[in-house]
Amino acid sequence: MESQENTAATSQPRQEVNANMPVRILYQVCREYGGLAGATGVKNVSRGLAESAATLGWRSAVVLPYYGFLTGRVRKLEKVADLEVSLLDKTEIVKVWLHRLNGVEIYLLESAYVSDKKAVYTYTRESIHLPGRVHVDNEEIDLTLQKGALELGKVLGAPDIFHAHDAHTALLSVLAREYPQYVDFYAKTQFILTLHNLGLEWHQEIVGLQKGQALTELPIRVLKKGIITGDTINPLILAAHYSHITTVSPEFADEIFDEQNSLTLGYVGNYYQEHGIKVTGIYNGIAFASMDPRKPNPPDFPLAYDPTDQRNHIRMLYRDMLICLSQETEMEGNVEKYGYLVQDPDMILCAVKSRILYEKGIDYLCDALNIVFQRHAHVAVAVMGDGEQTLEYKLIALSKNPLFFGRFVYWRGYNAKLIYPLLAGSDLFIMPSVYEPCGFADLYAQTYGCLPIVHYTGGLKKVVDKVNGFTFQPLDVRCLSKAILSALRILKADPQRIYAMRKNAFQYVQEQFDWLVIFKKYYQPFYEECLNKG
């Protein structure tokens, strides 16, 4: 089951808008939005961008599928329009509903393709389908969303910026520039595509020119622009001819063009390089004001504390809370628990909150923990997440290993009540990602005084070794276990150094990675540059 993690609002006061400046209009099109529909970091970016833009006086809107799991979750909906969307030689009636949230207009597109979906991208364990498998009609979901967004734009008015996220919405710009009914209407609109995940399974390729033409109604000559080899159409390739391309960190923008990553990323970077396609890397942020641990947020975060304060008694209370939760036999929601934690005054607690996937380095983590637990008697690890069954079973197997009894717990699934105790009560946060375009979890951990241990890759390169966290490379079991053991030693032997690192980490996130800072410093100038280029 994919998590529907609530991404907090920016909670920033609305800024004064210069009366002489035109009000800019930003529409985003995506499959996720924080607090409503989430599975990956896309949810954080779409909401952070939307609310920052609204705070700074932009008209900010988001176009999102009206998934079945949203029924009853969103209230006070306003009916906007019934749109006619053609797909596979038939016309689909798409109902549009408006939900307003923190100054953002959220347009939910209701269609037959999404009305029964219990998760964003894959089937849940409650489904009759195999859990974790992609929806068989993902292509229809994506095309209905993109065509619907363009039709909705004709109702609402053309925006200055249409910002699409990942391959699921990459064809938006192609449709706008190649469909005769949109060419003139969107002539002044600039299209931006952000690459969040370039793993092969996220390319949303369409196999076959004939199928591609039936789905998109685009000419064969256009579709051929999206082919690297054979007759497989890659939306990320095709969209690059029509969009300004960004990704979620400057480091990942560089790694896209690194020859060593060609196979892993499906040769997208090779194609971009050969065709002179520029990729702009922009870090993304967090809604710091609403996550600030110095302010209580009942009921899940009732006790506030200052991570830069050497006193840690409040954090110890959250640790006690986490230990108690690990000993409960049942939890609310669809969460299964394996293993447990016991009280140990000398315990150093490590947290892992992740999708349980190969790309997140979970395979390496499991093998490294076997080494760490043999060499350190007072380390404990708490893991939360779900994903690939084989990796879930590997974590479950650890919980049944006598070496791990009382020192390891795995919550299979997601429960929001665990987030605060997990971050506030842990000393270290482990992220052994194979690749990580941006990285949000490291920022969350640093905000709560939990120092990250990260594979030095992509967006995780913003962690500076032994300054605001710990880094290691290359990614292998030996280096990962060595990094964890080294961090454990420093934590035990040099508390003043750890205090300084926590202080650095907290201030770094607060000053550099609040969404409003990110939008003002990077996104707003980038949007204006795109508009000026035309």
Side-chain angles (χ1 to χ4, degrees):
M1 182 180 69
E2 288 154 337
S3 66
Q4 305 303 330
E5 180 177 344
N6 182 26
T7 304
T10 54
S11 301
Q12 295 283 355
R14 183 169 293 279
Q15 306 290 301
E16 289 188 15
V17 181
N18 189 332
N20 297 320
M21 292 289 290
V23 174
R24 292 297 195 191
I25 304 173
L26 169 66
Y27 294 171
Q28 293 184 79
V29 184
C30 46
R31 290 281 297 268
E32 304 179 39
Y33 191 79
L36 294 179
T40 71
V42 174
K43 66 182 182 296
N44 304 312
V45 177
S46 59
R47 183 163 179 173
L49 274 175
E51 294 190 354
S52 298
T55 298
L56 292 172
W58 290 52
R59 181 185 172 194
S60 181
V62 175
V63 186
L64 187 74
Y66 193 175
Y67 301 105
F69 61 78
L70 287 174
T71 303
R73 180 178 295 182
V74 287
R75 296 180 175 85
K76 297 182 179 179
L77 293 177
E78 303 172 27
K79 180 71 176 295
V80 174
D82 287 330
L83 307 175
E84 291 188 0
V85 174
S86 59
L87 192 68
L88 297 173
D89 297 326
K90 64 179 181 181
T91 300
E92 174 83 10
I93 301 299
V94 176
K95 297 179 181 179
V96 183
W97 303 89
L98 171 61
H99 175 62
R100 300 179 189 274
L101 182 64
N102 296 332
V104 178
E105 303 166 20
I106 301 172
Y107 293 94
L108 301 171
L109 271 55
E110 180 183 353
S111 73
Y113 298 114
V114 295
S115 59
D116 65 337
K117 297 297 186 286
K118 302 301 181 185
V120 176
Y121 302 117
T122 60
Y123 295 110
T124 64
R125 273 179 273 171
E126 296 82 6
S127 170
I128 60 172
H129 302 275
L130 288 175
R133 286 189 59 183
V134 298
H135 300 310
V136 293
D137 53 357
N138 258 342
E139 291 170 338
E140 289 84 351
I141 294 172
D142 293 344
L143 265 301
T144 301
L145 173 63
Q146 293 169 95
K147 291 182 177 182
L150 292 171
E151 284 298 311
L152 179 61
K154 294 180 73 174
V155 175
L156 302 177
D160 296 291
I161 300 288
F162 241 135
H163 193 147
H165 294 275
D166 262 347
H168 299 281
T169 54
L171 295 178
L172 186 77
S173 60
V174 187
L175 301 173
R177 297 298 188 226
E178 292 289 351
Y179 275 19
Q181 66 265 39
Y182 298 140
V183 172
D184 291 336
F185 187 81
Y186 290 113
K188 295 182 179 180
T189 297
Q190 293 303 301
F191 288 83
I192 292 167
L193 171 64
T194 291
L195 312 178
H196 295 261
N197 195 328
L198 274 179
L200 296 176
E201 69 274 23
W202 291 88
H203 285 200
Q204 305 305 303
E205 293 172 324
I206 301 172
V207 180
L209 282 169
Q210 298 305 318
K211 182 180 180 182
Q213 188 174 41
L215 278 167
T216 65
E217 298 177 299
L218 289 167
I220 294 293
R221 64 168 178 82
V222 172
L223 295 175
K224 284 183 176 179
K225 296 180 185 179
I227 292 175
I228 297 179
T229 58
D231 66 346
T232 297
I233 304 157
N234 188 326
L236 301 176
I237 299 298
L238 183 52
H241 296 281
Y242 301 84
S243 305
H244 304 277
I245 305 295
T246 72
T247 192
V248 286
S249 72
E251 291 83 0
F252 190 63
D254 293 336
E255 289 180 5
I256 287 173
F257 295 101
D258 191 330
E259 188 68 30
Q260 291 184 343
N261 299 319
S262 296
L263 180 60
T264 304
L265 304 182
Y267 300 97
V268 169
N270 301 67
Y271 184 92
Y272 285 1
Q273 196 161 40
E274 290 170 9
H275 291 77
I277 293 165
K278 180 183 177 183
V279 178
T280 301
I282 302 177
Y283 273 127
N284 293 291
I286 64 172
F288 183 85
S290 61
M291 294 181 61
D292 192 339
R294 297 170 300 185
K295 302 173 185 177
N297 186 14
D300 297 330
F301 189 70
L303 302 173
Y305 65 91
D306 186 347
T308 67
D309 193 334
Q310 285 183 287
R311 295 170 297 174
N312 62 3
H313 63 283
I314 299 297
R315 295 189 72 232
M316 293 305 294
L317 291 175
Y318 279 110
R319 175 171 305 191
D320 291 343
M321 186 186 304
L322 190 69
I323 292 170
C324 289
L325 288 169
S326 79
Q327 296 173 357
E328 291 183 1
T329 55
E330 294 183 4
M331 284 203 68
E332 296 178 10
N334 189 26
V335 176
E336 300 167 3
K337 183 182 69 70
Y338 301 90
Y340 61 96
L341 303 176
V342 297
Q343 289 287 357
D344 176 356
D346 296 318
M347 175 193 291
I348 298 176
L349 182 57
C350 303
V352 179
K353 190 270 177 183
S354 172
R355 286 177 289 146
I356 308 303
L357 304 173
Y358 169 78
E359 69 191 60
K360 297 299 181 181
I362 302 301
D363 218 356
Y364 296 96
L365 175 70
C366 291
D367 293 342
L369 289 183
N370 273 302
I371 298 172
V372 171
F373 272 59
Q374 289 177 41
R375 297 184 183 179
H376 200 292
H378 298 287
V379 64
V381 175
V383 181
M384 181 172 69
D386 59 5
E388 296 175 12
Q389 267 190 354
T390 54
L391 294 176
E392 291 178 344
Y393 290 157
K394 200 164 183 178
L395 288 166
I396 293 169
L398 291 184
S399 73
K400 297 177 180 179
N401 183 334
L403 179 65
F404 288 74
F405 288 174
R407 304 166 60 195
F408 180 85
V409 62
Y410 169 41
W411 283 285
R412 183 189 187 191
Y414 173 81
N415 189 309
K417 291 183 178 180
L418 286 169
I419 291 295
Y420 289 118
L422 193 65
L423 295 180
S426 298
D427 302 292
L428 301 168
F429 190 90
I430 308 174
M431 291 186 71
S433 304
V434 176
Y435 61 91
E436 192 72 49
C438 179
F440 286 101
D442 55 317
L443 297 177
Y444 298 149
Q446 289 171 317
T447 300
Y448 287 93
C450 183
L451 294 174
I453 302 174
V454 305
H455 175 215
Y456 194 69
T457 183
L460 297 180
K461 290 181 179 179
K462 61 183 177 291
V463 176
V464 182
D465 191 43
K466 298 180 180 63
V467 174
N468 59 2
F470 302 92
T471 69
F472 69 94
Q473 63 174 337
L475 177 58
D476 58 39
V477 173
R478 184 187 66 83
C479 285
L480 174 54
S481 59
K482 184 178 177 181
I484 297 172
L485 288 167
S486 175
L488 294 173
R489 281 193 297 270
I490 296 172
L491 229 147
K492 194 72 174 176
D494 198 346
Q496 286 300 317
R497 187 176 187 180
I498 294 296
Y499 159 67
M501 289 174 64
R502 284 181 176 144
K503 187 174 182 179
N504 289 338
F506 181 79
Q507 292 175 344
Y508 183 52
V509 175
Q510 181 182 16
E511 294 169 5
Q512 301 294 325
F513 289 96
D514 178 70
W515 256 116
L516 205 55
V517 172
I518 294 290
F519 191 88
K520 283 181 178 179
K521 191 173 180 179
Y522 301 108
Y523 272 103
Q524 188 156 284
F526 177 73
Y527 286 157
E528 293 296 340
E529 180 185 350
C530 293
L531 289 166
N532 290 335
K533 285 181 179 178

